[in-house]
Amino acid sequence: MTVKLENIDCPLGCAKNDEIVLTGRDRLHDLPGEFTVVKCRSCGLMRTSPRPTPGTMGFYYPDNYGPYLGTQVKRREPTHLSTFKDQVKSLIHHFIDFNTMVLPPLEPGRMLELGCASGVFLYRMANLGWDVQGIEFSGTAAKMAADLGYSVHAGPLETAPKPDGVFDLIVGWMVLEHLHDPVGGLKKLREWAKPDAWLVLSVPNAASLEFRLFKQRWYALQLPTHLYHFTPQSMGQLLESCGWKLEKVHHQRILSNLIASMGYVLRDKGFGKFGQMLIDVPEGSAWWPYLLYPLAWIFSLFGQTGRMTVWARPVNNSTIEASS
Ligand SMILES: [Zn+2]
């Protein structure tokens, strides 16, 4: 397969005024190609350019692409042991909050998940009383979510038809950075949202210490599938240009990216085996996040962890008119 590349201008319509931030490659699957991250000097938004076109990007999402694996809903009959384990877990999470999938306090209503994968989060929210729908780029994953009984559009957000009715909550966990057209996507979501809805998105934070330390070896950089590299500031501007107002940024209390980035450094220095062990941490480990929690808590306090979850609300029309 030939991967076609395209150069793109700043999606916020700024006059061309870019600086090169770094050049990197696909480290997740070691697929060929070199990619550059540029930063728009006018608005600060960073993007991958040139980048694979929407039609050829599939090359960089092989069948063993992490987020599609190991995320199936496991339906099980509760046993004494599993009930005990669940109680211990909820006790631990009373004190340890990784701040990852943080939601505003809301009564159950209608929810749309962008990038619902095989439906784990849809399943969780449906069990809490939410009427859930999903959009999923991978046909295989979308089918698994649809088999759970939910309405799921298989394909990119760009081609998703307008759903019946509007949503109280729209979420996207680590998805926005993968979109070729985040401006079009966020405007579309704005049209599908109730006037008092919430939009909740998690993305890597390119303003973090991790990014500054590791640059092209930052685990959350994930070239070339991450097309945008947001900071709280550029995220706020992007949302605002699409009819959303950034209300809150939650810095996640997790350092898995930092450990995996150290793995990339070690691998580059010839310590392949030990490096790989650290690289596998974000996908596989259950206890690392707990061990590193105190450090992650401090990092997050200063906005320096590698991932953030943002809350936004629609800007209503009267506000747009008043400000124009
Ligand atoms: Zn710009």
Side-chain angles (χ1 to χ4, degrees), residues 63-241:
D63 289 340
N64 62 345
Y65 181 69
Y68 296 161
L69 300 172
T71 53
Q72 285 101 317
V73 170
K74 293 181 192 90
R75 281 195 167 127
R76 49 163 202 194
E77 289 298 316
T79 60
H80 287 306
L81 182 65
S82 71
T83 310
F84 175 71
K85 274 185 176 169
D86 286 347
Q87 282 172 352
V88 171
K89 223 174 171 179
S90 77
L91 182 70
I92 291 173
H93 283 273
H94 188 73
F95 298 102
I96 291 187
D97 181 0
F98 293 117
N99 230 2
T100 49
M101 290 171 160
V102 254
L103 295 176
L106 280 171
E107 291 298 316
R110 296 189 76 225
M111 184 197 85
L112 173 72
E113 186 182 8
L114 183 60
C116 66
S118 41
V120 174
F121 191 72
L122 294 181
Y123 178 75
R124 193 197 299 176
M125 293 300 274
N127 281 342
L128 292 173
W130 285 79
D131 176 6
V132 300
Q133 286 187 38
I135 295 177
E136 173 51 50
F137 180 77
S138 154
T140 318
K143 189 180 174 304
M144 285 162 73
D147 285 347
L148 294 170
Y150 310 129
S151 160
V152 178
H153 170 78
L157 173 64
E158 288 86 339
T159 61
K162 192 177 186 327
D164 305 324
V166 281
F167 295 97
D168 301 281
L169 172 66
I170 301 175
V171 301
W173 309 121
M174 307 309 283
V175 179
L176 192 73
E177 65 277 16
H178 293 264
L179 298 188
H180 276 78
D181 180 13
V183 171
L186 287 170
K187 283 183 176 168
K188 205 168 182 179
L189 296 179
R190 171 65 189 85
E191 281 172 28
W192 298 353
K194 284 188 185 168
D196 60 347
W198 285 93
L199 174 69
V200 178
L201 300 166
S202 65
V203 292
N205 178 7
S208 62
L209 181 68
E210 292 175 8
F211 176 73
R212 295 198 301 280
L213 277 177
F214 294 102
K215 296 275 172 150
Q216 75 274 19
R217 294 186 187 87
W218 185 38
Y219 183 78
L221 187 68
Q222 301 202 1
L223 295 177
T225 58
H226 286 189
L227 301 173
Y228 291 91
H229 312 277
F230 303 107
T231 64
Q233 178 265 339
S234 66
M235 189 65 165
Q237 264 184 295
L238 172 68
L239 285 164
E240 200 177 308
S241 70

